[in-house]
Amino acid sequence: MSARFDLSGRVALVTGGNGGIGLGIAKGLAEAGAAIAVVGRDEAKNAAAVRELEAMGATAAGIEADVADAASCAAMVERTVARLGGLHILVCNAGINIRKPPDRYSAEEWRRILTINLDGTWQSCLAAYPVLCEAGGGKIITNGSMLSLFGAPFAAPYAASKGAVVQLTKSLATAWAKDNIQVNCILPGWIDTDLTRQARRDLPELNRKVLERTPAGRWGLPEDLAGTAVFLASPASDFVTGTAIPVDGGYSAQL
Ligand code: NDP
């Protein structure tokens, strides 16, 4: 392992780390040497993810928390520090979507999507900030989407939340550069997870459209996000901050 990408002795907290993209990222960070706090609402899913990480030889702890709740975000950081001895890398990955035409959303659905995707990212970052400062710096990776860049007729609140996550990322990057905290966003293309399996059920044409539009000609896998996450979590990216990096098989490069 090149020292530039070595995460030995680092502790990473991954929200939504118990499945899908979050677990793909958690495995990448663990392979690079980090200890992992797997955060999600479902204790059984957290425990299963911890077992997978431990089977790789990693140190991992499952932490039940709901990023929609600011107090729960504060508690997840406290518990990470208590169980793993510190915090150096925060991955704000937890997110949800509900697909329907814009005029069909209830006020509660709009609020739920914005609260988890946007407020959850904000609250996680604020909870981690003092601990990262105390450690002399750190890395924050947020999770956007192709819908941070594009609109879609079936995901107005999700797109609004993910566009805002990029602007939040840039703002925190500019504010916290003085604290040696780099804040960057990953923009996943279409990745095969529970979230998009549900989308394929909701939107029968989606599979064909994704394959036609993605130059790589395939859906991404959760492990496709790992390399970029390791880069953004490691000393290799110490002069990289405020960026939003597509990991999308070329989807956003093609008209
Ligand atoms: P999954 O549905 O597979 O995973 C979502 C994860 O988020 C789960 O681990 C879930 O755990 C956790 N989660 C959801 N709500 C909360 C909450 N309130 N508090 C804590 N954890 C929560 O989705 P993906 O892996 O596909 O998506 C992960 C992220 O990537 C999301 O932000 C999504 O928007 C983004 N993304 C996904 C794309 C894709 O193609 N799959 C494309 C672009 C972006 P639990 O249920 O235990 O709480």
Side-chain angles (χ1 to χ4, degrees):
M1 170 78 60
S2 150
R4 285 186 204 286
F5 296 97
D6 186 8
L7 301 181
S8 304
R10 310 267 100 186
V11 176
L13 185 166
V14 185
T15 70
N18 65 24
I21 289 175
L23 184 53
I25 288 175
K27 287 180 177 171
L29 300 179
E31 261 171 28
I36 312 291
V38 172
V39 171
R41 294 161 302 180
D42 185 323
E43 208 175 345
K45 275 164 63 183
N46 291 346
V50 165
R51 281 195 295 278
E52 280 194 51
L53 291 163
E54 285 176 344
M56 295 169 53
T59 300
I63 292 176
E64 214 182 312
D66 182 347
V67 299
D69 177 45
S72 190
C73 291
M76 85 187 172
V77 169
E78 270 174 35
R79 289 171 65 196
T80 299
V81 172
R83 292 183 62 183
L84 298 175
L87 178 64
H88 310 95
I89 300 154
L90 170 69
V91 183
C92 300
N93 163 77
I96 61 158
N97 195 5
I98 301 170
R99 290 165 207 86
K100 50 174 73 172
D103 53 309
R104 304 274 169 81
Y105 288 92
S106 67
E108 190 277 328
E109 286 171 330
W110 162 272
R111 184 72 355 251
R112 196 162 136 238
I113 294 166
L114 270 288
T115 301
I116 293 176
N117 296 1
L118 179 58
D119 299 20
T121 299
W122 165 246
Q123 288 162 179
S124 301
C125 291
L126 286 188
Y129 177 59
V131 183
L132 298 181
C133 285
E134 210 172 296
K139 303 282 186 176
I140 298 178
I141 302 169
T142 60
N143 196 339
S145 165
M146 288 298 99
L147 296 186
S148 300
L149 306 172
F150 304 112
F154 52 82
Y158 180 84
S161 73
K162 292 296 189 175
V165 163
V166 172
Q167 291 305 99
L168 174 61
T169 302
K170 291 180 183 178
S171 301
L172 296 181
T174 59
W176 294 348
K178 65 172 175 26
D179 303 305
N180 188 30
I181 298 170
Q182 289 81 48
V183 191
N184 291 286
C185 187
I186 292 179
L187 307 177
W190 287 94
I191 313 296
D192 186 13
T193 67
D194 286 351
L195 189 79
T196 48
R197 264 168 239 139
Q198 183 58 45
R200 271 181 271 183
R201 283 191 286 274
D202 294 347
L203 308 162
E205 284 295 282
L206 184 65
N207 189 48
R208 183 183 57 76
K209 283 186 178 166
V210 167
L211 293 177
E212 274 175 15
R213 166 74 197 263
T214 305
R218 66 171 176 88
W219 285 72
L221 300 170
E223 53 264 39
D224 285 318
L225 284 302
T228 305
V230 169
F231 167 64
L232 292 176
S234 69
S237 62
D238 278 353
F239 201 54
V240 178
T241 198
T243 65
I245 302 180
V247 181
D248 65 351
Y251 185 97
S252 60
Q254 175 149 291
L255 184 64

mmCIF file of all heavy atoms in Angstrom, residues 16-22 39-42 45 65-68 93-96 116 143-145 158 162 188-191 193-196, ligand 1:
data_model
loop_
_atom_site.group_PDB
_atom_site.id
_atom_site.type_symbol
_atom_site.label_atom_id
_atom_site.label_comp_id
_atom_site.label_asym_id
_atom_site.label_seq_id
_atom_site.Cartn_x
_atom_site.Cartn_y
_atom_site.Cartn_z
ATOM 1 N N GLY A 16 -25.259 4.945 6.517
ATOM 2 C CA GLY A 16 -25.782 4.046 5.481
ATOM 3 C C GLY A 16 -24.731 3.038 5.059
ATOM 4 O O GLY A 16 -24.752 2.545 3.931
ATOM 5 N N GLY A 17 -23.839 2.701 5.998
ATOM 6 C CA GLY A 17 -22.732 1.779 5.672
ATOM 7 C C GLY A 17 -23.121 0.318 5.759
ATOM 8 O O GLY A 17 -22.279 -0.556 5.533
ATOM 9 N N ASN A 18 -24.403 0.045 6.041
ATOM 10 C CA ASN A 18 -24.777 -1.362 6.223
ATOM 11 C C ASN A 18 -25.256 -2.049 4.952
ATOM 12 O O ASN A 18 -25.679 -3.201 4.979
ATOM 13 C CB ASN A 18 -25.821 -1.489 7.352
ATOM 14 C CG ASN A 18 -27.138 -0.814 6.997
ATOM 15 O OD1 ASN A 18 -27.462 -0.643 5.832
ATOM 16 N ND2 ASN A 18 -27.893 -0.432 8.026
ATOM 17 N N GLY A 19 -25.186 -1.365 3.808
ATOM 18 C CA GLY A 19 -25.609 -1.995 2.555
ATOM 19 C C GLY A 19 -25.305 -1.099 1.376
ATOM 20 O O GLY A 19 -24.862 0.038 1.545
ATOM 21 N N GLY A 20 -25.526 -1.607 0.181
ATOM 22 C CA GLY A 20 -25.420 -0.819 -1.043
ATOM 23 C C GLY A 20 -24.095 -0.084 -1.174
ATOM 24 O O GLY A 20 -23.022 -0.615 -0.853
ATOM 25 N N ILE A 21 -24.172 1.160 -1.633
ATOM 26 C CA ILE A 21 -22.979 1.966 -1.901
ATOM 27 C C ILE A 21 -22.160 2.171 -0.622
ATOM 28 O O ILE A 21 -20.925 2.112 -0.644
ATOM 29 C CB ILE A 21 -23.405 3.319 -2.496
ATOM 30 C CG1 ILE A 21 -23.913 3.112 -3.930
ATOM 31 C CG2 ILE A 21 -22.261 4.331 -2.456
ATOM 32 C CD1 ILE A 21 -24.479 4.357 -4.584
ATOM 33 N N GLY A 22 -22.853 2.392 0.511
ATOM 34 C CA GLY A 22 -22.145 2.640 1.773
ATOM 35 C C GLY A 22 -21.258 1.475 2.156
ATOM 36 O O GLY A 22 -20.110 1.670 2.582
ATOM 37 N N VAL A 39 -22.956 2.877 10.282
ATOM 38 C CA VAL A 39 -24.132 3.536 10.866
ATOM 39 C C VAL A 39 -25.364 3.312 9.993
ATOM 40 O O VAL A 39 -25.325 3.505 8.777
ATOM 41 C CB VAL A 39 -23.873 5.053 11.022
ATOM 42 C CG1 VAL A 39 -25.157 5.775 11.416
ATOM 43 C CG2 VAL A 39 -22.792 5.305 12.064
ATOM 44 N N GLY A 40 -26.442 2.889 10.624
ATOM 45 C CA GLY A 40 -27.742 2.760 9.957
ATOM 46 C C GLY A 40 -28.807 2.632 11.023
ATOM 47 O O GLY A 40 -28.485 2.498 12.210
ATOM 48 N N ARG A 41 -30.078 2.660 10.590
ATOM 49 C CA ARG A 41 -31.156 2.552 11.584
ATOM 50 C C ARG A 41 -31.426 1.115 11.990
ATOM 51 O O ARG A 41 -31.953 0.847 13.053
ATOM 52 C CB ARG A 41 -32.453 3.156 11.003
ATOM 53 C CG ARG A 41 -32.380 4.644 10.753
ATOM 54 C CD ARG A 41 -33.457 5.077 9.779
ATOM 55 N NE ARG A 41 -33.340 4.357 8.508
ATOM 56 C CZ ARG A 41 -34.141 4.516 7.467
ATOM 57 N NH1 ARG A 41 -35.142 5.363 7.537
ATOM 58 N NH2 ARG A 41 -33.947 3.824 6.363
ATOM 59 N N ASP A 42 -31.058 0.174 11.107
ATOM 60 C CA ASP A 42 -31.421 -1.230 11.302
ATOM 61 C C ASP A 42 -30.253 -1.987 11.937
ATOM 62 O O ASP A 42 -29.223 -2.224 11.292
ATOM 63 C CB ASP A 42 -31.783 -1.809 9.923
ATOM 64 C CG ASP A 42 -32.286 -3.229 9.995
ATOM 65 O OD1 ASP A 42 -31.771 -4.020 10.817
ATOM 66 O OD2 ASP A 42 -33.191 -3.553 9.214
ATOM 67 N N LYS A 45 -29.011 -5.198 10.128
ATOM 68 C CA LYS A 45 -28.219 -4.906 8.916
ATOM 69 C C LYS A 45 -26.834 -4.393 9.312
ATOM 70 O O LYS A 45 -25.822 -4.741 8.676
ATOM 71 C CB LYS A 45 -28.939 -3.865 8.045
ATOM 72 C CG LYS A 45 -29.982 -4.477 7.104
ATOM 73 C CD LYS A 45 -30.955 -3.445 6.536
ATOM 74 C CE LYS A 45 -30.310 -2.389 5.669
ATOM 75 N NZ LYS A 45 -31.309 -1.370 5.216
ATOM 76 N N ALA A 65 -28.221 4.600 14.366
ATOM 77 C CA ALA A 65 -28.516 6.041 14.426
ATOM 78 C C ALA A 65 -29.398 6.417 13.247
ATOM 79 O O ALA A 65 -29.399 5.739 12.211
ATOM 80 C CB ALA A 65 -27.225 6.860 14.400
ATOM 81 N N ASP A 66 -30.134 7.512 13.417
ATOM 82 C CA ASP A 66 -30.998 8.041 12.366
ATOM 83 C C ASP A 66 -30.493 9.442 12.027
ATOM 84 O O ASP A 66 -30.590 10.354 12.861
ATOM 85 C CB ASP A 66 -32.440 8.098 12.892
ATOM 86 C CG ASP A 66 -33.416 8.590 11.829
ATOM 87 O OD1 ASP A 66 -32.960 9.107 10.785
ATOM 88 O OD2 ASP A 66 -34.631 8.461 12.044
ATOM 89 N N VAL A 67 -29.959 9.615 10.815
ATOM 90 C CA VAL A 67 -29.346 10.911 10.481
ATOM 91 C C VAL A 67 -30.386 12.035 10.366
ATOM 92 O O VAL A 67 -30.014 13.211 10.308
ATOM 93 C CB VAL A 67 -28.487 10.849 9.192
ATOM 94 C CG1 VAL A 67 -27.339 9.871 9.338
ATOM 95 C CG2 VAL A 67 -29.334 10.551 7.967
ATOM 96 N N ALA A 68 -31.668 11.665 10.321
ATOM 97 C CA ALA A 68 -32.721 12.695 10.280
ATOM 98 C C ALA A 68 -32.799 13.463 11.600
ATOM 99 O O ALA A 68 -33.412 14.530 11.657
ATOM 100 C CB ALA A 68 -34.073 12.045 9.973
ATOM 101 N N ASN A 93 -23.374 9.145 3.551
ATOM 102 C CA ASN A 93 -23.904 8.382 2.418
ATOM 103 C C ASN A 93 -25.391 8.057 2.553
ATOM 104 O O ASN A 93 -26.055 7.798 1.554
ATOM 105 C CB ASN A 93 -23.078 7.084 2.308
ATOM 106 C CG ASN A 93 -23.759 6.031 1.473
ATOM 107 O OD1 ASN A 93 -23.755 6.107 0.243
ATOM 108 N ND2 ASN A 93 -24.391 5.054 2.127
ATOM 109 N N ALA A 94 -25.934 8.095 3.782
ATOM 110 C CA ALA A 94 -27.335 7.682 3.977
ATOM 111 C C ALA A 94 -28.250 8.517 3.093
ATOM 112 O O ALA A 94 -28.101 9.741 3.010
ATOM 113 C CB ALA A 94 -27.728 7.848 5.448
ATOM 114 N N GLY A 95 -29.180 7.861 2.434
ATOM 115 C CA GLY A 95 -30.103 8.602 1.583
ATOM 116 C C GLY A 95 -31.278 7.748 1.157
ATOM 117 O O GLY A 95 -31.210 6.520 1.186
ATOM 118 N N ILE A 96 -32.366 8.425 0.797
ATOM 119 C CA ILE A 96 -33.574 7.722 0.335
ATOM 120 C C ILE A 96 -34.139 8.437 -0.889
ATOM 121 O O ILE A 96 -33.770 9.577 -1.188
ATOM 122 C CB ILE A 96 -34.682 7.678 1.416
ATOM 123 C CG1 ILE A 96 -35.138 9.107 1.799
ATOM 124 C CG2 ILE A 96 -34.202 6.927 2.661
ATOM 125 C CD1 ILE A 96 -36.515 9.158 2.410
ATOM 126 N N ILE A 116 -33.659 13.548 5.414
ATOM 127 C CA ILE A 116 -32.628 12.493 5.462
ATOM 128 C C ILE A 116 -31.443 12.869 4.561
ATOM 129 O O ILE A 116 -30.282 12.831 4.985
ATOM 130 C CB ILE A 116 -33.223 11.125 5.071
ATOM 131 C CG1 ILE A 116 -34.221 10.687 6.149
ATOM 132 C CG2 ILE A 116 -32.115 10.077 4.887
ATOM 133 C CD1 ILE A 116 -34.956 9.393 5.866
ATOM 134 N N ASN A 143 -22.369 12.338 -0.436
ATOM 135 C CA ASN A 143 -22.838 11.517 -1.555
ATOM 136 C C ASN A 143 -23.939 12.259 -2.302
ATOM 137 O O ASN A 143 -25.014 12.506 -1.764
ATOM 138 C CB ASN A 143 -23.348 10.173 -1.025
ATOM 139 C CG ASN A 143 -23.484 9.149 -2.134
ATOM 140 O OD1 ASN A 143 -23.580 9.508 -3.309
ATOM 141 N ND2 ASN A 143 -23.505 7.889 -1.767
ATOM 142 N N GLY A 144 -23.634 12.651 -3.528
ATOM 143 C CA GLY A 144 -24.620 13.315 -4.379
ATOM 144 C C GLY A 144 -25.285 12.306 -5.284
ATOM 145 O O GLY A 144 -25.682 11.219 -4.844
ATOM 146 N N SER A 145 -25.370 12.628 -6.559
ATOM 147 C CA SER A 145 -26.103 11.778 -7.501
ATOM 148 C C SER A 145 -25.949 12.400 -8.888
ATOM 149 O O SER A 145 -25.565 13.573 -9.010
ATOM 150 C CB SER A 145 -27.583 11.759 -7.104
ATOM 151 O OG SER A 145 -28.398 11.254 -8.137
ATOM 152 N N TYR A 158 -35.798 14.611 -4.459
ATOM 153 C CA TYR A 158 -34.482 13.952 -4.398
ATOM 154 C C TYR A 158 -33.448 14.806 -5.123
ATOM 155 O O TYR A 158 -32.349 15.069 -4.615
ATOM 156 C CB TYR A 158 -34.590 12.559 -5.027
ATOM 157 C CG TYR A 158 -33.315 11.749 -5.037
ATOM 158 C CD1 TYR A 158 -32.945 10.996 -3.917
ATOM 159 C CD2 TYR A 158 -32.493 11.704 -6.162
ATOM 160 C CE1 TYR A 158 -31.781 10.236 -3.924
ATOM 161 C CE2 TYR A 158 -31.332 10.951 -6.182
ATOM 162 C CZ TYR A 158 -30.980 10.214 -5.061
ATOM 163 O OH TYR A 158 -29.830 9.453 -5.074
ATOM 164 N N LYS A 162 -30.145 16.546 -3.593
ATOM 165 C CA LYS A 162 -28.796 16.161 -4.039
ATOM 166 C C LYS A 162 -28.051 17.332 -4.689
ATOM 167 O O LYS A 162 -26.822 17.402 -4.633
ATOM 168 C CB LYS A 162 -28.879 14.959 -4.985
ATOM 169 C CG LYS A 162 -29.337 13.673 -4.289
ATOM 170 C CD LYS A 162 -28.334 13.221 -3.240
ATOM 171 C CE LYS A 162 -28.646 11.835 -2.699
ATOM 172 N NZ LYS A 162 -27.627 11.347 -1.765
ATOM 173 N N PRO A 188 -22.439 9.344 -7.687
ATOM 174 C CA PRO A 188 -22.564 8.019 -8.323
ATOM 175 C C PRO A 188 -23.498 8.083 -9.525
ATOM 176 O O PRO A 188 -24.491 8.808 -9.520
ATOM 177 C CB PRO A 188 -23.179 7.140 -7.223
ATOM 178 C CG PRO A 188 -23.062 7.916 -5.948
ATOM 179 C CD PRO A 188 -23.055 9.362 -6.343
ATOM 180 N N GLY A 189 -23.142 7.307 -10.558
ATOM 181 C CA GLY A 189 -24.091 7.075 -11.657
ATOM 182 C C GLY A 189 -25.135 6.076 -11.195
ATOM 183 O O GLY A 189 -25.473 6.010 -10.008
ATOM 184 N N TRP A 190 -25.624 5.280 -12.114
ATOM 185 C CA TRP A 190 -26.651 4.287 -11.762
ATOM 186 C C TRP A 190 -25.961 3.049 -11.212
ATOM 187 O O TRP A 190 -25.257 2.351 -11.931
ATOM 188 C CB TRP A 190 -27.498 3.955 -12.978
ATOM 189 C CG TRP A 190 -28.433 5.079 -13.338
ATOM 190 C CD1 TRP A 190 -28.195 6.072 -14.244
ATOM 191 C CD2 TRP A 190 -29.726 5.325 -12.786
ATOM 192 N NE1 TRP A 190 -29.262 6.932 -14.285
ATOM 193 C CE2 TRP A 190 -30.226 6.489 -13.407
ATOM 194 C CE3 TRP A 190 -30.524 4.690 -11.835
ATOM 195 C CZ2 TRP A 190 -31.467 7.026 -13.106
ATOM 196 C CZ3 TRP A 190 -31.766 5.224 -11.535
ATOM 197 C CH2 TRP A 190 -32.232 6.371 -12.170
ATOM 198 N N ILE A 191 -26.157 2.791 -9.915
ATOM 199 C CA ILE A 191 -25.470 1.708 -9.221
ATOM 200 C C ILE A 191 -26.511 0.669 -8.784
ATOM 201 O O ILE A 191 -27.587 1.037 -8.290
ATOM 202 C CB ILE A 191 -24.719 2.232 -7.960
ATOM 203 C CG1 ILE A 191 -23.907 3.506 -8.277
ATOM 204 C CG2 ILE A 191 -23.838 1.143 -7.357
ATOM 205 C CD1 ILE A 191 -22.788 3.359 -9.266
ATOM 206 N N THR A 193 -28.239 -1.369 -6.486
ATOM 207 C CA THR A 193 -28.439 -1.517 -5.028
ATOM 208 C C THR A 193 -29.945 -1.697 -4.778
ATOM 209 O O THR A 193 -30.745 -1.591 -5.715
ATOM 210 C CB THR A 193 -27.997 -0.248 -4.261
ATOM 211 O OG1 THR A 193 -28.886 0.821 -4.618
ATOM 212 C CG2 THR A 193 -26.569 0.151 -4.557
ATOM 213 N N ASP A 194 -30.313 -1.879 -3.508
ATOM 214 C CA ASP A 194 -31.741 -1.983 -3.161
ATOM 215 C C ASP A 194 -32.524 -0.780 -3.680
ATOM 216 O O ASP A 194 -33.646 -0.905 -4.156
ATOM 217 C CB ASP A 194 -31.919 -2.028 -1.627
ATOM 218 C CG ASP A 194 -31.496 -3.372 -1.067
ATOM 219 O OD1 ASP A 194 -31.245 -4.303 -1.868
ATOM 220 O OD2 ASP A 194 -31.399 -3.484 0.178
ATOM 221 N N LEU A 195 -31.889 0.420 -3.549
ATOM 222 C CA LEU A 195 -32.553 1.666 -3.958
ATOM 223 C C LEU A 195 -32.949 1.619 -5.432
ATOM 224 O O LEU A 195 -34.069 1.976 -5.810
ATOM 225 C CB LEU A 195 -31.606 2.842 -3.705
ATOM 226 C CG LEU A 195 -32.126 4.252 -3.855
ATOM 227 C CD1 LEU A 195 -32.925 4.651 -2.618
ATOM 228 C CD2 LEU A 195 -30.960 5.240 -4.001
ATOM 229 N N THR A 196 -32.019 1.190 -6.286
ATOM 230 C CA THR A 196 -32.298 1.213 -7.727
ATOM 231 C C THR A 196 -33.037 -0.048 -8.188
ATOM 232 O O THR A 196 -33.689 -0.027 -9.224
ATOM 233 C CB THR A 196 -30.997 1.398 -8.532
ATOM 234 O OG1 THR A 196 -30.011 0.499 -8.048
ATOM 235 C CG2 THR A 196 -30.499 2.822 -8.420
HETATM 236 P P1 NDP B 1 -29.637 1.668 -0.209
HETATM 237 O O1 NDP B 1 -31.105 1.854 -0.084
HETATM 238 O O2 NDP B 1 -29.081 0.360 -0.644
HETATM 239 O O3 NDP B 1 -28.923 2.099 1.156
HETATM 240 C C1 NDP B 1 -29.332 3.209 1.872
HETATM 241 C C2 NDP B 1 -28.581 3.227 3.176
HETATM 242 O O4 NDP B 1 -28.920 4.387 3.915
HETATM 243 C C3 NDP B 1 -28.920 2.032 4.044
HETATM 244 O O5 NDP B 1 -27.728 1.577 4.636
HETATM 245 C C4 NDP B 1 -29.859 2.602 5.105
HETATM 246 O O6 NDP B 1 -29.723 1.864 6.312
HETATM 247 C C5 NDP B 1 -29.297 4.015 5.237
HETATM 248 N N1 NDP B 1 -30.272 5.000 5.704
HETATM 249 C C6 NDP B 1 -31.408 5.415 5.097
HETATM 250 N N2 NDP B 1 -32.024 6.334 5.830
HETATM 251 C C7 NDP B 1 -31.265 6.521 6.951
HETATM 252 C C8 NDP B 1 -31.378 7.342 8.092
HETATM 253 N N3 NDP B 1 -32.423 8.164 8.250
HETATM 254 N N4 NDP B 1 -30.405 7.286 9.023
HETATM 255 C C9 NDP B 1 -29.350 6.443 8.891
HETATM 256 N N5 NDP B 1 -29.188 5.646 7.811
HETATM 257 C C10 NDP B 1 -30.143 5.670 6.864
HETATM 258 O O7 NDP B 1 -29.185 2.837 -1.201
HETATM 259 P P2 NDP B 1 -27.861 3.069 -2.050
HETATM 260 O O8 NDP B 1 -26.730 2.316 -1.499
HETATM 261 O O9 NDP B 1 -28.223 2.942 -3.464
HETATM 262 O O10 NDP B 1 -27.669 4.630 -1.780
HETATM 263 C C11 NDP B 1 -26.734 5.153 -0.882
HETATM 264 C C12 NDP B 1 -26.548 6.614 -1.214
HETATM 265 O O11 NDP B 1 -26.110 6.746 -2.560
HETATM 266 C C13 NDP B 1 -27.826 7.458 -1.096
HETATM 267 O O12 NDP B 1 -27.499 8.734 -0.593
HETATM 268 C C14 NDP B 1 -28.283 7.561 -2.528
HETATM 269 O O13 NDP B 1 -29.066 8.702 -2.745
HETATM 270 C C15 NDP B 1 -26.952 7.651 -3.248
HETATM 271 N N6 NDP B 1 -27.005 7.324 -4.650
HETATM 272 C C16 NDP B 1 -27.357 6.072 -5.073
HETATM 273 C C17 NDP B 1 -27.366 5.795 -6.434
HETATM 274 C C18 NDP B 1 -27.688 4.449 -6.983
HETATM 275 O O14 NDP B 1 -27.740 4.316 -8.219
HETATM 276 N N7 NDP B 1 -27.871 3.439 -6.178
HETATM 277 C C19 NDP B 1 -27.038 6.815 -7.428
HETATM 278 C C20 NDP B 1 -26.698 8.080 -6.846
HETATM 279 C C21 NDP B 1 -26.678 8.313 -5.525
HETATM 280 P P3 NDP B 1 -30.959 1.623 7.331
HETATM 281 O O15 NDP B 1 -32.113 1.211 6.484
HETATM 282 O O16 NDP B 1 -30.457 0.581 8.271
HETATM 283 O O17 NDP B 1 -31.164 2.935 8.012
#
